C-alpha cells in the first residue's frame, strides 16, 4: 500500500463507550435540599450508609442538624444555603409547592453545581393522585430555567420513602431513571444511584422527557394503594 493509499483510508472509529462504565463518585459531597422530609431523609440515609458524604439541608439549620443526628452515618445538617455551597451534587427533594421559590433563592449558591431534581408535581382529589404540568414542562425544566448557571439533571422520582428509611431493608429493588443534557453529568447521577444496593441508574433521555417520568409517580401511588405495596420500577433487557 502506498502512502497516498493509506492517507485515503477512513480513520478508524474509537470503540463505543460501555454505557455501564460509570465514574467513581465516592469522593463527592452530596447535599439534599428538603433533607428533613421523607424522600430526602431516605435518600440521605441510603447514600450515607453506602459511604457517601452527605449534608442534609432545611430552611431551619437546627431542624436539619436534629435529623442528621437521628440518621447517623456521618450525615451533617445545615440550612439550605450552606448545604448548597458545601456540596458537589445537590439533590432537590423539597415539596412541589415550594420548589420554585426554594431554587430561585439559592441560584447563587447552586451556580456551577450538579443539581438532581427528584420533585414530582402532583395533585390529589377524591379519585387519587394525578400529575400536574408546570408551565416549563416539568419540575426539572423549571429547575433548569431558574438555575441557568447550574447543571440540572432529574432522577430518584420513583423511590418509596418507606423503604428508603427502613433500616431492616438492605437492598432497594428498583431502577432509577436519570435524565439530563450532558452525558457526563447523567453518568455521575447513575453512579450515585448504583452505590445503593439493589439500584441501577438508567439513562432515560433529555430533560424534555422529564414530565412523563415525574408523572408516573401518580400511577405508582395507585398501584401501592391497591396492592398495599411500595412499588418501584425495573427496566427489562438493559
Amino acid at each position: 500500500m502506498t502512502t497516498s493509499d493509506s492517507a485515503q483510508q477512513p480513520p478508524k472509529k474509537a470503540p463505543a463507550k460501555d454505557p455501564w462504565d460509570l465514574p467513581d463518585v465516592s469522593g463527592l459531597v452530596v447535599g439534599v435540599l428538603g433533607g428533613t422530609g421523607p424522600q430526602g431523609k431516605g435518600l440521605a440515609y441510603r447514600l450515607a450508609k453506602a459511604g457517601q458524604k452527605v449534608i442534609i439541608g432545611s430552611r431551619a439549620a437546627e431542624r436539619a442538624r436534629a435529623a442528621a443526628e437521628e440518621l447517623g452515618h456521618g450525615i451533617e445538617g445545615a440550612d439550605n444555603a450552606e448545604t448548597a455551597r458545601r456540596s458537589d451534587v445537590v439533590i432537590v427533594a423539597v415539596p412541589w409547592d415550594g420548589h420554585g421559590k426554594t431554587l430561585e433563592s439559592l441560584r447563587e449558591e447552586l451556580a456551577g453545581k450538579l443539581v438532581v431534581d427528584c420533585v414530582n408535581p402532583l395533585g390529589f382529589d377524591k379519585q387519587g393522585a394525578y400529575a400536574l404540568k408546570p408551565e416549563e414542562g416539568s419540575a426539572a425544566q423549571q429547575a433548569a430555567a431558574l438555575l441557568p448557571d447550574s447543571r440540572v439533571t432529574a432522577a430518584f422520582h420513583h423511590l418509596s420513602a418507606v423503604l428508603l428509611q427502613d433500616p431492616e431493608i438492605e437492598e432497594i429493588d428498583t431502577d432509577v431513571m436519570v435524565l439530563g443534557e450532558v452525558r457526563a453529568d447523567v453518568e455521575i447521577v447513575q453512579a450515585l444511584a448504583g452505590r445503593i444496593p439493589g439500584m441501577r441508574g438508567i439513562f432515560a433521555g433529555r430533560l424534555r422527557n422529564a414530565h412523563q417520568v415525574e408523572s408516573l409517580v401518580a400511577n405508582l401511588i395507585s398501584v401501592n394503594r391497591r396492592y398495599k405495596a411500595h412499588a418501584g420500577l425495573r427496566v427489562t433487557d438493559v
Side-chain angles (χ1 to χ4, degrees):
M1 182 181 293
T2 66
T3 303
S4 58
D5 289 338
S6 61
Q8 293 172 7
Q9 296 298 314
K12 289 185 178 180
K13 288 184 179 180
K17 185 178 183 295
D18 181 351
W20 295 111
D21 180 16
L22 301 174
D24 177 9
V25 295
S26 59
L28 297 179
V29 178
V30 178
V32 184
L33 304 182
T36 58
Q39 189 82 350
K41 207 171 182 180
L43 278 169
Y45 170 69
R46 288 291 165 178
L47 288 168
K49 190 178 179 184
Q52 209 74 37
K53 174 60 186 172
V54 176
I55 306 169
I56 58 176
S58 175
R59 284 178 296 179
E62 297 81 8
R63 189 178 175 201
R65 284 192 282 267
E69 187 175 346
E70 176 192 339
L71 292 172
H73 296 284
I75 297 172
E76 293 184 48
D79 63 34
N80 283 332
E82 182 182 343
T83 298
R85 280 194 299 267
R86 293 178 56 197
S87 302
D88 302 303
V89 179
V90 180
I91 297 173
V92 180
V94 300
W96 166 241
D97 58 7
H99 181 263
K101 286 184 178 179
T102 299
L103 296 184
E104 195 169 19
S105 70
L106 296 171
R107 182 176 294 169
E108 183 177 339
E109 290 83 358
L110 290 170
K113 307 289 183 175
L114 174 53
V115 174
V116 187
D117 202 298
C118 69
V119 175
N120 303 303
L122 297 176
F124 295 86
D125 59 19
K126 292 181 179 179
Q127 296 183 54
Y130 60 95
L132 303 175
K133 189 158 189 179
E135 182 180 344
E136 298 85 354
S138 64
Q141 288 169 295
Q142 183 183 88
L146 291 172
L147 304 172
D149 298 319
S150 302
R151 297 138 54 207
V152 177
T153 60
F156 300 117
H157 302 90
H158 306 135
L159 306 181
S160 163
V162 173
L163 297 184
L164 287 173
Q165 293 185 78
D166 189 341
E168 299 298 315
I169 294 175
E170 291 297 325
E171 296 190 2
I172 307 291
D173 181 23
T174 194
D175 286 331
V176 173
M177 302 181 81
V178 185
L179 303 98
E181 301 301 320
V182 179
R183 180 169 180 170
D185 293 338
V186 170
E187 289 181 347
I188 288 172
V189 182
Q190 287 181 263
L192 279 174
R195 298 211 73 198
I196 301 173
M199 283 191 197
R200 296 186 306 173
I202 304 286
F203 171 66
R206 293 178 178 268
L207 287 187
R208 68 180 184 180
N209 292 319
H211 172 65
Q212 54 264 37
V213 174
E214 296 169 2
S215 300
L216 189 58
V217 175
N219 302 88
L220 289 177
I221 289 172
S222 297
V223 170
N224 291 336
R225 287 182 173 174
R226 174 63 62 90
Y227 298 101
K228 310 298 182 191
H230 302 291
L233 294 177
R234 277 294 187 202
V235 180
T236 62
D237 199 32
V238 174

